[in-house]
Amino acid sequence: MRGRNIVVVGAQWGDEGKGKVVDLLTKNVGAVVRFQGGHNAGHTLVISNEKTVLHLIPSGILHDNVDCLIGNGVVLSPSAVLDEIAQLEARGVEVRERITLSPACPLVLSYHVATDIAREKARGSEKIGTTGRGIGPAYEDKVARRGVRLGDLYHGEGFATKLADAMNYHNFMLEKYYNAATVDFQQTFDETSRLAEEIEPMVGDVGSVLHDLNSRGENILFEGAQGALLDIDLGTYPFVTSSHTMAGAASVGSGFDSSRLDYVLGIVKAYSTRVGAGPFPTELFDAVGRHLADKGREFGSTTGRPRRCGWFDAAAVKRVVKMTGLSGLCMTKLDVLDGLETIRVCTKYEGSDGESASTRFGSEYYSELSPLYEDLPGWQESTAGARDLKDLPENAQAYIRRIEEWVDAPIAMISTGPDRHDTIVLTEVLGK
Ligand code: IMP
């Protein structure tokens, strides 16, 4: 017997409400695994009116008896992970016995943050709008093969040498290229060494743990961060994050057999949002945009920045469905559309059938494509908290059916409010 394995990814630009969906599905799994990103992510969970924001620790942690793992594809800030553990412990959630951190996680340390901030400043009006957490520079170090990894912390001399090499590089760039303050080696070494001791009992071989869980028949949930359109290769480059956010990353980012991934659930908001700079063809700057921002409380959970809001972009999601192979979708925040007279959906872009589109998708030139919309009638009734499809107004049901057709994927779940119970389940993606 082996367990069933599901990957949950954002199918837009992040902030689709993955945390709630992961939390809901966790009741049917033995483990939840993060496989990419770092503490740039922000997963907001509301359980019995209590709000918890997680950045690094898998959303499954709030369920007893569920193992939580952080795979090698995640860039790990030792201070961020310990802060988050302390916050959870203060709420009575036991973490240390249930979490495994891969020794192959590249570390995010203070010099990465300094480089991230200096680089954004230097880009001026061309800045990416990063979360300022040092994520990009940490991934750069990994690819440049100068990264310091979690496992290095337990090899005394090796750690000192690797840290010195990496910091020499960063401090040179900070001082000579960015004209910014450098970061002190000894302080970084001492602080990180101190944190290393506290982290050590949690370090383990994530790939083997996953393999064993699977062999014992446990279901495993792979929890994506950010969204498919922020993928480093396939997103709106260079306005992207520095990791692979597509479902394929679940395997290489955790050391788990890709042929054993059974289902990919893509999370989409009923409209679109984006934080930071970059193309967003369906962005709204009018009263409807404000309606979405206000009613959807669209502020970043990591940085508090206001999110840009716009209509649902079915053309973009359809591309994601094709590229990452979404088995089904969960649509979130449907209730935010309540009360709108007309709802627009971008179904394709002007000229997108032509050759010119191929160089624009997956790049910053994507913004040059003009969306073509179809209008659907809105609904005045409240959908907030609906738990059955037949409780939704007819126009809301029609909206869902049309989106399924446009993006070419079935909608398996609909979220109608922040609480885990405010959900309509159309397909049991994990079974019982
Ligand atoms: P970085 O990941 O901090 O380098 O930021 C790169 C881009 O990804 C910026 O546009 C960020 O706003 C965006 N980003 C990073 N993490 C998230 C997230 O969890 N939700 C939404 N956008 C994110």
Side-chain angles (χ1 to χ4, degrees):
M1 181 178 81
R2 68 176 180 89
R4 193 169 153 79
N5 305 306
I6 178 171
V7 187
V8 176
V9 289
Q12 295 160 315
W13 282 284
D15 308 313
E16 297 92 351
K18 292 179 288 296
K20 166 188 160 163
V21 181
V22 169
D23 173 67
L24 183 71
L25 295 174
T26 298
K27 66 178 190 304
N28 293 330
V29 304
V32 181
V33 197
R34 277 280 306 266
F35 54 89
Q36 48 75 226
H39 62 307
N40 49 348
H43 289 170
T44 308
L45 306 170
V46 179
I47 292 151
S48 310
N49 286 327
E50 245 190 300
K51 191 167 144 180
T52 304
V53 183
L54 298 172
H55 300 285
L56 207 42
I57 295 183
S59 304
I61 200 73
L62 298 184
H63 291 251
D64 296 337
N65 307 320
V66 171
D67 288 338
C68 288
L69 299 104
I70 297 191
N72 54 278
V74 171
V75 284
L76 188 90
S77 157
S79 59
V81 80
L82 289 175
D83 283 352
E84 213 165 296
I85 291 173
Q87 275 175 38
L88 285 163
E89 283 175 343
R91 290 194 39 192
V93 180
E94 201 294 309
V95 183
R96 290 169 210 258
E97 292 297 314
R98 291 197 283 138
I99 196 163
T100 309
L101 312 175
S102 166
C105 288
L107 297 181
V108 187
L109 297 171
S110 50
Y111 50 93
H112 296 118
V113 177
T115 299
D116 196 355
I117 292 168
R119 185 170 297 152
E120 283 283 270
K121 197 170 156 211
R123 284 182 76 111
S125 62
E126 295 299 303
K127 71 176 184 195
I128 308 289
T130 71
T131 57
R133 299 290 190 274
I135 304 300
Y139 276 116
E140 284 167 40
D141 278 3
K142 157 172 144 168
V143 175
R145 291 168 287 193
R146 68 168 165 261
V148 181
R149 311 202 300 179
L150 181 57
D152 292 322
L153 299 182
Y154 309 103
H155 297 274
E157 273 301 299
F159 168 50
T161 311
K162 286 191 176 178
L163 185 69
D165 283 350
M167 289 195 73
N168 282 342
Y169 169 80
H170 280 273
N171 278 335
F172 179 84
M173 292 298 282
L174 283 166
E175 187 183 344
K176 306 277 190 234
Y177 190 77
Y178 293 114
N179 207 8
T182 56
V183 179
D184 186 69
F185 170 80
Q186 199 56 49
Q187 197 181 342
T188 311
F189 179 81
D190 293 344
E191 256 175 41
T192 313
S193 304
R194 187 169 47 77
L195 301 179
E197 262 179 60
E198 201 180 336
I199 290 176
E200 191 168 12
M202 297 181 268
V203 181
D205 185 356
V206 168
S208 298
V209 174
L210 291 174
H211 181 84
D212 292 348
L213 282 163
N214 184 248
S215 306
R216 289 207 305 270
E218 297 279 3
N219 295 335
I220 302 172
L221 191 154
F222 295 81
E223 176 182 3
Q226 291 87 41
L229 296 165
L230 288 171
D231 186 275
I232 181 73
D233 278 339
L234 298 164
T236 51
Y237 190 87
F239 297 98
V240 290
T241 191
S242 297
S243 63
H244 286 293
T245 54
M246 297 269 176
S251 168
V252 279
S254 65
F256 187 71
D257 178 353
S258 61
S259 70
R260 293 192 169 209
L261 300 174
D262 301 293
Y263 191 99
V264 181
L265 182 70
I267 316 298
V268 288
K269 236 177 237 187
Y271 47 99
S272 308
T273 62
R274 168 161 208 166
V275 212
F280 185 0
T282 63
E283 184 167 9
L284 288 165
F285 300 96
D286 58 4
V288 178
R290 282 192 298 278
H291 166 102
L292 299 175
D294 293 346
K295 196 154 182 208
R297 291 178 301 278
E298 295 296 352
F299 292 92
S301 40
T302 297
T303 57
R305 291 180 290 175
R307 296 178 185 141
R308 300 155 66 193
C309 297
W311 294 119
F312 189 85
D313 190 339
V317 174
K318 184 175 182 173
R319 245 181 90 75
V320 170
V321 169
K322 268 197 238 165
M323 288 186 298
T324 200
L326 300 180
S327 325
L329 296 174
C330 172
M331 179 178 276
T332 63
K333 291 193 147 180
L334 182 68
D335 57 302
V336 174
L337 300 180
D338 295 352
L340 292 175
E341 200 65 42
T342 302
I343 301 175
R344 314 192 88 186
V345 176
C346 164
T347 54
K348 56 182 175 174
Y349 308 108
E350 206 171 347
S352 63
D353 298 331
E355 274 301 298
S356 63
S358 61
T359 62
R360 292 190 164 80
F361 276 125
S363 81
E364 61 198 292
Y365 313 112
Y366 177 54
S367 57
E368 291 165 11
L369 295 172
S370 307
L372 294 175
Y373 290 105
E374 296 222 14
D375 288 350
L376 296 177
W379 53 90
Q380 299 311 308
E381 303 90 327
S382 167
T383 62
R387 294 179 187 184
D388 199 310
L389 192 63
K390 63 181 188 315
D391 297 338
L392 295 181
E394 256 173 47
N395 286 350
Q397 294 189 35
Y399 181 69
I400 287 158
R401 295 298 168 218
R402 291 308 302 276
I403 298 249
E404 283 183 321
E405 288 166 20
W406 281 318
V407 306
D408 201 19
I411 294 188
M413 297 164 74
I414 303 160
S415 164
T416 56
D419 196 275
R420 57 163 84 119
H421 303 294
D422 296 340
T423 311
I424 301 171
V425 179
L426 301 173
T427 310
E428 285 284 356
V429 296
L430 272 171
K432 295 278 175 190

